Amino acid sequence: MSELKRTPLYPLYADIPGVRCIDFGGWELPVQFSGIHKEHEAVREAAGLFDVSHMGEFFVSGPQAESFLQRMTVNDVTVLVPGQAQYSAMCYPDGGVVDDLLVYKLAEASYMLVVNASNIRKDWEWLSRHLADGVRMTDKSDDTALLALQGPKAEDILAPLVDCDLTQLGAFHFLQNVSLFGASVLISRTGYTGEDGFEIYLPAQDAPAVWTGLLERGVAFGLIPAGLGARDTLRFEAKLPLYGQELSQDISPLEGGIGFFVKLGKGDFIGKDALQRQKESGVPRKLVGVEMIDRGIPRSHYAVYAGGERIGEITTGTQSPTLKRNLGLALLDSRFAAVGTQVEVDVRGKRLQAEVVPVPFYKRARKGADSK
């Protein structure tokens, strides 16, 4: 069994009572520091600080970088200006998802791709296989740390610590070469929680000082460290997809609820023909929200039925910490995707009553960044 990878902040975890780490895609990462519900609540009401340094960062540059990324991703890279980012995905020719990712335009002909940790090797191989002349690509995942400061107090915490005006930084925009606790960082108004907040990219060796500094300065605002458990419940309430659950090689972006980011009119890209056919003929499955009527919690891969027919399965489900309701995201046959449709969820061998409900389950009043 190979040894688990660790982020640059791993040595600091021991200083936090109650921390519990798990194997997450080959990484030893904190699932919680003080409790998932407490951390979830802190992000919704104040702020949480996440170590997400396991994410991958690829740097793409060269005169053909834009056209290369335009072909490899589903969103329209040409609309980006330096200092702007976009959410996107890479697809296989059949429309299945290689990965979902963020594309940052650092400068003309210079980009950063942020990919899921479990897909770093696969994504690198996929991009390398299609690499064009006039494009250079570098994997700086091991050299780059990533902290996510999320919650309604995030701006209040971070703004006084930097010499730039974060109040003017819009959603999916970023600033480079910002000094923060002696480190030169990239600050992006993005996140994966459904709240306002920032993601901070920085050299791995500088991560401990920035992590410690933020927690010390943020304590007066209610900032606490948060782990993967709260990250999952937060993104779930906001209907933000997780690769391997809402998106996969077998689930297209149209089925997985991110069709808005698929720009079929932009020109050719890998997977376009399949996605075009899927859209024209009608998406066969849709990602919907489900609320339990009977007592029970829907969990990933629980089967969903209607009229005795299996119509899909739960992709993610839990008792919502914010709403205190038993909720799930489910990939269902499109015939049963309308809000109000009565369905049954197989919970440990018992088919329990549930209903299709509107999503996202939680939506904050918009002020700053949209989520991922």
Side-chain angles (χ1 to χ4, degrees):
M1 182 175 171
S2 59
E3 191 172 331
L4 295 178
K5 297 179 182 178
R6 292 172 173 175
T7 78
L9 295 177
Y10 182 85
L12 303 186
Y13 297 161
D15 298 333
I16 304 174
V19 66
R20 184 163 70 87
C21 292
I22 61 168
D23 178 351
F24 182 82
W27 290 79
E28 190 169 1
L29 297 173
V31 66
Q32 65 178 51
F33 289 96
S34 54
I36 292 173
H37 280 230
K38 179 180 178 181
E39 294 161 24
H40 180 110
E41 193 173 277
V43 175
R44 287 281 182 253
E45 298 180 0
L49 185 63
F50 299 83
D51 175 14
V52 282
S53 301
H54 58 297
M55 299 290 281
E57 291 84 17
F58 302 159
F59 288 79
V60 180
S61 62
Q64 297 302 314
E66 182 181 87
S67 60
F68 171 65
L69 294 177
Q70 190 77 333
R71 171 166 165 70
M72 299 305 298
T73 65
V74 301
N75 208 334
D76 187 356
V77 178
T78 66
V79 303
L80 291 176
V81 297
Q84 187 178 15
Q86 70 179 194
Y87 177 63
S88 192
M90 296 187 292
C91 283
Y92 295 105
D94 67 359
V97 178
V98 179
D99 201 6
D100 63 329
L101 71 161
L102 287 174
V103 179
Y104 286 77
K105 186 165 186 175
L106 304 174
E108 292 302 330
S110 180
Y111 300 84
M112 176 175 71
L113 310 183
V114 183
V115 303
N116 286 300
S118 59
N119 291 335
I120 290 174
R121 178 180 294 181
K122 179 184 73 173
D123 290 356
W124 180 262
E125 291 174 351
W126 178 254
L127 288 162
S128 298
R129 192 186 316 167
H130 296 90
L131 200 62
D133 291 338
V135 183
R136 297 180 298 277
M137 195 165 67
T138 308
D139 181 359
K140 294 188 178 180
S141 303
D142 291 341
D143 302 323
T144 306
L146 174 56
L147 308 181
L149 177 63
Q150 299 284 297
K153 298 292 185 182
E155 184 181 285
D156 295 335
I157 295 167
L158 190 57
L161 303 177
V162 297
D163 59 358
C164 51
D165 187 0
L166 292 183
T167 65
Q168 299 303 306
L169 188 65
F172 285 89
H173 286 75
F174 61 92
L175 298 169
Q176 300 181 73
N177 305 313
V178 178
S179 180
L180 180 63
F181 297 111
S184 179
V185 309
L186 184 156
I187 296 177
S188 170
R189 198 154 206 157
T190 47
Y192 193 47
T193 62
E195 295 297 338
D196 188 18
F198 304 92
E199 293 182 308
I200 303 166
Y201 299 84
L202 68 164
Q205 66 268 20
D206 295 328
V210 174
W211 170 269
T212 301
L214 286 172
L215 287 177
E216 288 176 350
R217 298 294 183 91
V219 67
F221 296 89
L223 175 66
I224 62 173
L228 294 175
R231 191 168 183 253
D232 192 52
T233 54
L234 289 158
R235 69 92 193 164
F236 162 74
E237 289 183 344
K239 195 193 170 237
L240 301 176
L242 176 63
Y243 188 85
Q245 291 181 219
E246 285 74 39
L247 297 169
S248 74
Q249 182 175 346
D250 302 313
I251 303 172
S252 80
L254 302 184
E255 294 175 313
I258 61 166
F260 173 80
F261 302 98
V262 178
K263 307 304 183 184
L264 291 170
K266 72 169 185 170
D268 192 34
F269 61 90
I270 297 176
K272 177 182 177 178
D273 290 345
L275 295 174
Q276 186 79 57
R277 288 194 300 270
Q278 194 173 89
K279 184 171 184 179
E280 289 171 356
S281 61
V283 179
R285 301 177 295 178
K286 289 185 179 178
L287 188 70
V288 303
V290 169
E291 180 170 3
M292 300 302 297
I293 297 172
D294 289 338
R295 191 170 179 177
I297 298 177
R299 301 290 188 189
S300 296
H301 305 303
Y302 282 8
V304 181
Y305 294 84
E309 174 188 357
R310 177 168 175 153
I311 59 168
E313 69 174 29
I314 302 295
T315 58
T316 303
T318 190
Q319 182 181 78
S320 162
T322 301
L323 305 170
K324 314 301 183 191
R325 293 153 51 195
N326 294 341
L327 301 170
L329 293 173
L331 190 65
L332 301 185
D333 182 316
S334 295
R335 294 174 297 157
F336 302 92
V339 170
T341 302
Q342 301 296 299
V343 298
E344 294 178 319
V345 179
D346 188 324
V347 179
R348 297 178 182 175
K350 293 184 178 179
R351 294 189 186 180
L352 303 181
Q353 294 295 314
E355 182 179 2
V356 176
V357 295
V359 283
F361 304 117
Y362 170 86
K363 192 172 185 179
R364 70 178 175 87
R366 296 294 171 189
K367 176 188 172 186
D370 287 318
S371 299
K372 185 177 172 183

